């Protein structure tokens, strides 16, 4: 039975009366049995049918294929929209939300800064060039104006002193 396709209330009421049950059953399967979501999808599908009534074929024996396509697209869009939202933390107090403890990292950085400050200026300078500025031994030698062999030995002794200083403070990682 074809539904009269017109942009009026009686046509929409007839469309709803005729297709609401089978469409609801179809959509409930798409939504995994979520009745509320299925009802929302059916309502949105009917609204789109009403808005697009001029584009529907009145000679079609059934509008069910068109309605199921629209409903399926609505469900897909809803899933994408839900997947794009960040996860909700729930209704519990915020103190229960896990937070990374930065305390250990801060203490480690302070210990390294203290150990660097205890180095001689030449050792600190060579570590700054090679480690912090990520330069090669040759680049560091050129920047510091010293031979490559001097940079190598200063890096070796600076790292040894740094390691010893950190071990004294209990930082052995």
């Amino acid at each position: 039975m074809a539904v009269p396709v017109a942009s009026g209330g009686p046509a929409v009421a007839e469309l709803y009366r005729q297709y609401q049950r089978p469409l609801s059953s179809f959509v409930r399967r798409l939504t995994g049995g979520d009745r509320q979501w299925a009802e929302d999808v059916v309502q949105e599908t009917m609204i789109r049918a009403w808005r697009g009534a001029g584009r529907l074929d009145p000679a079609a024996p059934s509008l069910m294929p068109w309605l199921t396509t629209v409903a399926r697209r609505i469900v897909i869009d809803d899933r994408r929209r839900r997947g794009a939202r960040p996860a909700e933390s729930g209704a519990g107090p915020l103190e229960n939300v896990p937070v990374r403890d930065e305390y250990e990292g801060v203490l480690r950085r302070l210990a390294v800064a203290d150990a660097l400050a205890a180095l001689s200026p030449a050792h600190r300078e060579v570590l700054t060039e090679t480690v912090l500025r990520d330069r090669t031994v040759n680049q560091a030698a050129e920047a510091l104006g010293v031979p490559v062999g001097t940079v190598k030995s200063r890096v070796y002794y600076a790292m040894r002193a740094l390691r010893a200083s950190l071990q004294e403070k209990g930082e052995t990682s």
Side-chain angles (χ1 to χ4, degrees):
M1 170 175 130
V3 174
V5 180
S7 61
V12 173
E14 177 61 23
L15 182 74
Y16 191 80
R17 186 196 63 72
Q18 185 174 348
Y19 292 107
Q20 185 270 334
R21 256 199 166 96
L23 186 61
S24 290
S25 176
F26 172 77
V27 172
R28 220 174 287 125
R29 284 191 306 270
L30 289 178
T31 60
D34 187 332
R35 186 182 182 119
Q36 181 65 44
W37 185 16
E39 288 175 9
D40 291 344
V41 171
V42 169
Q43 286 180 3
E44 180 62 27
T45 303
M46 293 299 173
I47 289 170
R48 290 184 187 184
W50 173 67
R51 286 182 183 154
R55 292 179 285 157
L56 298 177
D57 182 10
S62 173
L63 294 178
M64 194 63 183
W66 184 85
L67 292 170
T68 56
T69 300
V70 170
R72 188 169 17 87
R73 289 179 181 161
I74 291 169
V75 169
I76 289 168
D77 289 346
D78 284 351
R79 282 198 176 115
R80 286 181 182 155
R81 194 174 10 263
R82 289 178 182 179
R85 272 199 272 165
E88 296 179 13
S89 62
L94 289 178
E95 35 305 320
N96 294 336
V97 176
V99 178
R100 281 188 32 211
D101 185 12
E102 297 290 328
Y103 185 69
E104 291 294 322
V106 170
L107 288 178
R108 186 169 291 119
R109 284 191 293 275
L110 286 172
V112 170
D114 285 346
L116 280 170
L119 293 176
S120 71
H123 286 155
R124 200 172 31 255
E125 196 175 51
V126 79
L127 287 181
T128 299
E129 292 298 322
T130 57
V131 177
L132 299 178
R133 292 191 178 142
D134 198 28
R135 292 185 173 165
T136 64
V137 175
N138 291 338
Q139 291 169 334
E142 188 177 321
L144 296 172
V146 296
V148 174
T150 303
V151 171
K152 288 181 181 180
S153 67
R154 284 183 185 171
V155 167
Y156 173 79
Y157 288 110
M159 290 301 289
R160 200 166 107 181
L162 192 62
R163 202 172 295 117
S165 178
L166 289 173
Q167 283 176 346
E168 276 181 19
K169 296 176 194 296
E171 295 291 327
T172 57
S173 54

